[in-house]
Amino acid sequence: MSSVYRKIKGGITAPLGFVSSAVSAGVKNPVAKRLDMALISSEVECVAAGTFTTNRVKAAPVKVSQAHLRDGNVRAILVNSGNANACTGVSGLQDARKCTRVVGKLLDLKQSQVAVCSTGVIGLPMPMVRIEPKLSDLVTGLKRKEGTAVAQAIMTSDTCHKEISVSLTIAGKKVKIGACAKGAGMINPHMATMLCFITTDAKLTKEALSAFVSQSVETSFNRITIDGDMSTNDSVIMLANGACGGKAIRRGTADAKKFQESLDYVMLEMAKSLVRDGERVTKFVTVNVKGAKSYNDAKKVAEAVANSSLVKCSWNGNDPNWGRIIHAVGYSKAMVKEELIDIHIGGLAACLGGLEANVSMDALRKKVAADTFTIEINLNLCEGEYTIYSSDLSPEYVDFNRSEYAYWKQARKDGLTKQ
């Protein structure tokens, strides 16, 4: 843990001036009682920034939130799990906009001050008949210390909720950063299938906040992969309300460096938690590439290895198959020289100079049998480096993702589809 910040409790409501609530609306299943809708709001004016999926097919809430964030003064985030509101056409956009309009009116905010996010199955209309009545409940239920409930409400295939908060001192003021996230499958670099909401009571300009968020996302959510898939709803939204007081943190200062380090930690911890909670995966694997001709080449190699189904299957089978790793290096389209490639597994040399290293296979198997280990690939060409966090590919993962028929079955009962 860095001396700059310390972990505290509270999640997204740890920072001053933020309130939240969560309710059960039966979004996916009307008889289910689990929390599936949540609202995060700042009690005072704030600035906002975010990043979204780079998938060219974008869900309605992504389009709406992107438009609202351009104004920079979003103060509330409405989110639901169970339905992605993606590939739902004009009606999907109307539903997303209606939710922001209703919540904005209830909070005495402009519609553009409310962002909206959804996660769940793609292609089904939103069950607004169950969602609309719960919007007023969310607003009246807003309170401090409800951060954990929000983290629980945004879960889909997650097996546990994910939240974190830290405290640091800047210019004599205690600054707090809180976050919650969801994600367990369809995880791929360049915004994984995930949602993450971050709050801070630090005083920031919109430009500074945007820069902080972009940098932290690049070294966290853009560095994880489970299955190489990218969804339609991926969103990271951060609100900063300045409630801690003091002067605005200016970019390029020592204070900005402290804040960036703390935000980097918060987002990376959330990103890693998504990989660890991958849908029935069993291994958390760090892939470090160094000695590449450039940063981009190192990135190509890391992503090729981390996304290789063959490599991931061998990890699941406790098989230290460096041959699968080097073949992925070779097709990554990075500049490589076979005779210079070194591969270490869990700190042990498996391949040196493109050839099998003199190492015990049993020793390598023990390394891969661990639930956490590191693959280090040195191309020995220059100084390009890149790190990505990945997982194995298990039979249970395949079984879990074989069918989503149950979603359509309920949707047919709701009259939302004829399938």
Side-chain angles (χ1 to χ4, degrees), residues 91-321:
S91 64
L93 283 169
Q94 292 173 337
D95 290 341
R97 288 169 180 154
K98 184 174 186 178
C99 285
T100 61
R101 183 171 64 252
V102 172
V103 170
K105 185 175 181 179
L106 291 169
L107 288 172
D108 196 25
L109 300 175
K110 297 178 182 178
Q111 181 177 352
S112 62
Q113 289 181 290
V114 181
V116 59
C117 297
S118 299
T119 181
V121 68
I122 294 170
L124 291 179
M126 293 286 277
M128 294 297 287
V129 67
R130 295 195 293 275
I131 289 175
E132 284 188 66
K134 294 296 182 177
L135 297 178
S136 60
D137 292 344
L138 283 170
V139 173
T140 57
L142 287 170
K143 62 181 69 172
R144 296 294 306 274
K145 300 182 180 180
E146 286 294 306
T148 297
V150 173
Q152 293 169 337
I154 63 178
M155 293 167 56
T156 50
S157 58
D158 307 65
T159 64
C160 60
H161 71 277
K162 305 167 180 69
E163 64 177 342
I164 191 173
S165 44
V166 301
S167 175
L168 64 152
T169 300
I170 293 181
K173 300 291 184 179
K174 183 177 289 186
V175 173
K176 297 177 182 177
I177 304 173
C180 65
K182 66 80 52 182
M186 292 180 73
I187 300 294
N188 189 46
H190 306 299
M191 293 297 295
T193 299
M194 41 70 62
L195 300 177
C196 182
F197 308 118
I198 310 109
T199 58
T200 183
D201 49 19
K203 189 172 184 179
L204 301 166
T205 64
K206 174 178 169 52
E207 291 72 24
L209 179 62
S210 296
F212 287 138
V213 169
S214 294
Q215 179 171 321
S216 291
V217 166
E218 175 56 32
T219 57
S220 59
F221 296 114
N222 282 354
R223 299 289 187 99
I224 58 176
T225 181
I226 291 177
D227 44 30
D229 278 303
M230 182 193 302
S231 186
T232 53
N233 293 61
D234 316 330
S235 306
V236 173
I237 300 177
M238 184 168 181
L239 306 179
N241 66 10
C244 72
K247 297 181 179 179
I249 299 174
R250 293 184 295 109
R251 293 176 62 188
T253 64
D255 288 342
K257 184 178 180 180
K258 289 172 65 175
F259 186 83
Q260 185 75 71
E261 180 182 330
S262 303
L263 184 60
D264 287 349
Y265 171 75
V266 166
M267 286 206 198
L268 184 57
E269 286 299 294
M270 288 291 90
K272 288 180 177 179
S273 72
L274 303 189
V275 178
R276 292 190 178 99
D277 193 32
E279 291 166 346
R280 310 307 187 265
V281 303
T282 67
K283 307 289 177 71
F284 178 88
V285 185
T286 300
V287 179
N288 288 329
V289 177
K290 63 181 183 178
K293 184 178 179 181
S294 65
Y295 169 88
N296 285 335
D297 270 9
K299 182 178 180 180
K300 290 175 183 177
V301 170
E303 292 184 353
V305 172
N307 280 323
S308 167
S309 295
L310 284 176
V311 171
K312 294 161 81 68
C313 286
S314 65
W315 291 342
N316 180 258
N318 303 332
D319 179 11
N321 194 329

Side-chain angles (χ1 to χ4, degrees), residues 10-144:
I12 51 115
T13 51
L16 297 174
F18 286 97
V19 290
S20 65
S21 62
V23 299
S24 174
V27 174
K28 183 172 70 173
N29 183 348
V31 301
K33 300 301 181 184
R34 67 172 296 272
L35 298 173
D36 57 6
M37 286 184 65
L39 180 64
I40 305 165
S41 180
S42 174
E43 297 176 309
V44 296
E45 291 293 329
C46 64
V47 294
T51 61
F52 299 88
T53 180
T54 54
N55 195 321
R56 291 186 179 180
V57 178
K58 291 177 172 58
V62 169
K63 297 175 182 178
V64 171
S65 292
Q66 283 182 310
H68 289 188
L69 277 171
R70 292 190 190 104
D71 292 338
N73 63 342
V74 166
R75 275 180 57 178
I77 305 169
L78 174 68
V79 58
N80 76 271
S81 61
N83 188 308
N85 194 9
C87 301
T88 48
V90 174
S91 64
L93 283 169
Q94 292 173 337
D95 290 341
R97 288 169 180 154
K98 184 174 186 178
C99 285
T100 61
R101 183 171 64 252
V102 172
V103 170
K105 185 175 181 179
L106 291 169
L107 288 172
D108 196 25
L109 300 175
K110 297 178 182 178
Q111 181 177 352
S112 62
Q113 289 181 290
V114 181
V116 59
C117 297
S118 299
T119 181
V121 68
I122 294 170
L124 291 179
M126 293 286 277
M128 294 297 287
V129 67
R130 295 195 293 275
I131 289 175
E132 284 188 66
K134 294 296 182 177
L135 297 178
S136 60
D137 292 344
L138 283 170
V139 173
T140 57
L142 287 170
K143 62 181 69 172
R144 296 294 306 274

